[in-house]
Amino acid sequence: MPFTTHEPPFRFRRGTRPLLISMPHVGTHVPPQLAARLTDEARQVPDTDWHLERLYDFADELGASVLVATHSRYVVDLNRPPDGASLYPGQSVTGLCPVDTFDDTPLYADGIGPDDAEIAARREAIWQPYHRQLADELARIKAQHGVAALWDAHSIRSVLPRFFEGKLPDLNLGTAQGASCDPALAQTLLGIAREASGFTSVLNGRFTGGYITRHHGQPAQGVHAVQLEMTQCSYMREALPFDYLPEVAARVQPHVRRLLEAVLQFVESRRS
């Protein structure tokens, strides 16, 4: 089926320091023509990385650039390769244009997902502009500062049997198994996460970084990329209506800010 959208593919704020925060899964917009094809459950877009802009509301104070998706990952997943290849071969994953929810229920009421032409149209309308802006901003930062950091911000329900057993650690740092940022930075971040009282953490556990981290992280060229996948119970209600919980969020937010401050301190000490 044809695909059109009148919503811009992203929102962007340019910062003053060598850090770009990417939020590829916070979007909730589903064009009406597509929403009409989805199940009632899918129209609630439950697999959104809810409220991350609010959780990261200190980003402007840090001088970071911020790139925020507008469309739901059900339209197109900005953290998947453009060819739809699996990020975790052998494990259950959702695709570039998903056809099921994280709970493994169908997205489409008639069971018929997008064909190749529609996938290509969604990729051209949303995926390509987002990644072009991401690449251009990293290049601008690198040109201005001699170094750049990319922080890919995510969140997920803490219990999802489809993807992992038991309860996920709260702070999941991913560096593409050490390939997307300097190992010293990764260890510094892990140390900060481990010091976060009341929260569990891991480096390159179940989530090692998606396409954005893997593709854009080039530490040998002075571009360091890190993904943080947080449990949503650390700051919000994980079930409908997916409320932000300010008192809960206030406990984890200082630790997230400290992680980003450490990233900035690291890259700014390595300016060329």
Side-chain angles (χ1 to χ4, degrees):
M1 295 188 63
F3 173 79
T4 59
T5 182
H6 301 292
E7 186 80 5
F10 58 80
R11 296 188 300 275
F12 174 70
R13 303 193 304 276
R14 177 169 291 173
T16 57
R17 297 174 74 188
L19 172 63
L20 170 60
I21 301 173
S22 163
M23 301 182 182
H25 290 156
V26 302
T28 58
H29 181 68
V30 179
Q33 185 180 29
L34 174 55
R37 295 159 55 192
L38 301 182
T39 66
D40 290 342
E41 177 192 10
R43 282 193 286 268
Q44 301 290 332
V45 291
D47 301 324
T48 300
D49 292 9
W50 300 99
H51 309 300
L52 285 187
E53 280 188 279
R54 185 171 179 181
L55 187 71
Y56 283 80
D57 64 6
F58 54 83
D60 292 344
E61 294 177 19
L62 293 184
S65 297
V66 182
L67 179 62
V68 180
T70 55
H71 288 70
S72 169
R73 70 189 302 157
Y74 291 167
V75 182
V76 63
D77 193 327
L78 299 171
N79 204 27
R80 296 293 182 270
D83 63 359
S86 176
L87 291 169
Y88 298 96
Q91 301 186 56
S92 182
V93 295
T94 51
L96 177 67
C97 293
V99 295
D100 47 22
T101 70
F102 285 0
D103 289 324
D104 213 11
T105 59
L107 289 185
Y108 293 86
D110 61 5
I112 301 174
D115 60 19
D116 289 345
E118 184 179 351
I119 291 172
R122 296 188 200 181
R123 184 170 54 229
E124 181 178 355
I126 303 166
W127 191 100
Q128 290 177 357
Y130 189 93
H131 281 267
R132 185 162 52 246
Q133 180 66 34
L134 199 161
D136 287 350
E137 180 61 8
L138 285 176
R140 184 200 67 81
I141 291 173
K142 176 77 184 315
Q144 179 176 342
H145 299 278
V147 67
L150 169 62
W151 186 268
D152 211 41
H154 296 263
S155 70
I156 194 169
R157 277 179 281 160
S158 59
V159 178
L160 270 173
R162 176 180 176 182
F163 300 132
F164 48 83
E165 296 182 1
K167 184 177 183 294
L168 190 70
D170 297 306
L171 303 172
N172 298 265
L173 294 161
T175 65
Q177 300 292 358
S180 68
C181 82
D182 189 295
L185 173 57
Q187 288 305 311
T188 296
L189 296 174
L190 180 59
I192 292 170
R194 285 175 172 170
E195 291 172 1
S197 179
F199 300 96
T200 53
S201 58
V202 68
L203 173 64
N204 292 318
R206 171 61 179 87
F207 297 102
T208 63
Y211 177 79
I212 289 173
T213 304
R214 301 182 196 189
H215 181 72
H216 292 283
Q218 299 176 354
Q221 282 73 51
V223 181
H224 302 270
V226 178
Q227 176 179 289
L228 177 62
E229 183 81 74
M230 292 182 56
T231 54
Q232 292 181 337
C233 63
S234 298
Y235 70 96
M236 61 168 277
R237 192 184 311 279
E238 293 192 341
L240 279 168
F242 306 117
D243 295 329
Y244 188 82
L245 302 175
E247 293 183 2
V248 176
R251 294 196 289 270
V252 75
Q253 191 179 46
H255 301 299
V256 178
R257 179 168 183 154
R258 189 178 170 205
L259 288 166
L260 286 170
E261 288 172 342
V263 170
L264 276 167
Q265 182 179 6
F266 180 89
V267 295
E268 289 180 338
S269 72
R270 284 158 174 77
R271 286 176 171 172
S272 58

